[in-house]
Amino acid sequence: MEIKNVTVLGAGIMGAGIAQICAQAGFLVKLRDIDEPLVEKGMSVIKKNLTRLVSKGKMEQDAAEKCLGAVTPVVDMQEAAKNADLVIEAILERMDIKKQVFADLDKFTPKEAILATNTSGLSITEIGTATKRSDKVLGIHFFNPVPVMKLVEIIKGYETSDETISTAKDFVEKIKKVGIEVNEAPGFCVNRILIPMINEAIYVLAEGIASAEDIDQSMKLGANHPIGPLALADMVGLDTLLLVMDSFSDEFKDSKYRACPLLRKMVRAGHLGRKTGKGFYIY
Ligand code: 3HC
């Protein structure tokens, strides 16, 4: 199946990045969120990223305009879904909401459309049950910041067909990312390793072993990470980290996945990282 029209649901930081790289690769993109200000915010993120590429001499001005022109902001779900060959959902990490959205997509998209979720760790198989085409439901998981990070996880749910995986692999190649095929499991591959590492760094801070700056410095200079785990926590969002740790804990029933109480406390205080201006650092 040939993909031409891509619909991205959720115009947050991930959705905007996904829409941008799809448009850059020549796809016609609809970017949908639940109200006008949210979609416009996503569009302005794309515009800012493209302007940065132009100012660095990495993209021509007309190419940037063409790219922006290829993204249509949409609020109406039916409008967003019609004509889509591929939908990539990047909304809130809540199973109940995702299932509702996938049930709507099943109604409003063409029968052959592939429905993907960018979930950080929720079950693709369970999301698929909200549709009558679980063979066409899969995970296409991007990393933040989407325009920079090379990897995409292509995740196979229990009922995802080989044909769907193969179409997704072709798509991932076209958007110039490197795809790895992963069988569904909590956290898939990257988050299963990365999120407990960040959680452990929060324990190191909470136990007074080292300061936030020194923890980050230690992993940058001692393990060659591009940024430290606490700076990365602020980038990913503490609420997302907590959701992922709690889902590991629920799924594995293993105490090694216990979210650090300091992480939970900070989320309760509304210190979610960059998006709220305050996390382990002030922005
Ligand atoms: N959007 C677009 N481009 C961006 C960007 C953004 N938000 N942030 C940085 N960039 C670009 C810069 O423009 C720059 O481009 P250039 O090389 O062409 O000049 C390049 O990235 C490097 O940026 P900087 O020099 O400003 O800063 P750094 O060298 O610190 O790099 C970084 C920034 C690439 C974000 C780097 O810090 C990094 O790799 N961090 C780790 C990111 C990571 O681990 N992400 C995964 C998070 S987990 C996840 O997303 C999964 C989810 O399910 C939880």
Side-chain angles (χ1 to χ4, degrees), residues 49 52 56 58 120 141 143-145 147-149 191 194 226-227 232 235-236:
N49 279 345
R52 185 162 53 181
K56 279 186 188 159
K58 292 193 169 178
S120 297
H141 184 217
F143 296 86
N144 187 8
V148 180
M149 304 301 283
N191 282 347
L194 181 69
I227 55 172
L232 185 56
M235 206 177 104
V236 170

Side-chain angles (χ1 to χ4, degrees), residues 236-250:
V236 170
L238 274 60
D239 50 344
T240 301
L241 292 175
L242 183 59
L243 278 168
V244 176
M245 282 311 295
D246 281 346
S247 77
F248 285 180
S249 173
D250 285 349

